[in-house]
Amino acid sequence: MKELLRSNDPTVFAFATALLNGEGIDCFEWDVNTSILEGSIGILPRRLMVRDADHAAAERAMRDNDIDLGR
C-alpha cells in the first residue's frame, strides 16, 4: 500500500473516499485510532492509503478534483 493523502480535515477524507469509491479504487484510512486518542484536536494527521497498482490513478483523481495531498 502507498500513502495517497495526509490531512487533519475529516471532510477531506470523506470526499476523497467517496471519490475513490466512485472510481472503483479501494482505499483504507490509517491513523484513525491515534487521531481519536489525541482528543481530536487535529494535531496528528490521518493517512489515506491505496494499493500500489492504483496509486497513479488515485493521485490523478485527487489532483483533478483539487484535493491537496498534504505531502
Side-chain angles (χ1 to χ4, degrees):
M1 294 193 92
K2 285 180 110 174
E3 179 181 324
L4 174 67
L5 169 68
R6 183 181 295 228
S7 177
N8 296 348
D9 187 347
T11 60
V12 170
F13 275 92
F15 180 54
T17 300
L19 181 65
L20 292 173
N21 288 335
E23 295 286 325
I25 299 172
D26 293 326
C27 59
F28 184 77
E29 195 172 333
W30 279 7
D31 305 320
V32 175
N33 293 332
T34 304
S35 180
I36 291 169
L37 286 175
E38 53 92 9
S40 297
I41 57 175
I43 295 173
L44 301 174
R46 291 191 255 173
R47 295 177 287 168
L48 194 62
M49 310 296 284
V50 296
R51 290 183 300 186
D52 291 348
D54 293 332
H55 190 265
E59 199 169 70
R60 202 169 24 257
M62 297 295 108
R63 294 193 197 285
D64 288 348
N65 287 278
D66 296 324
I67 297 175
D68 180 19
L69 299 177
R71 295 185 264 133

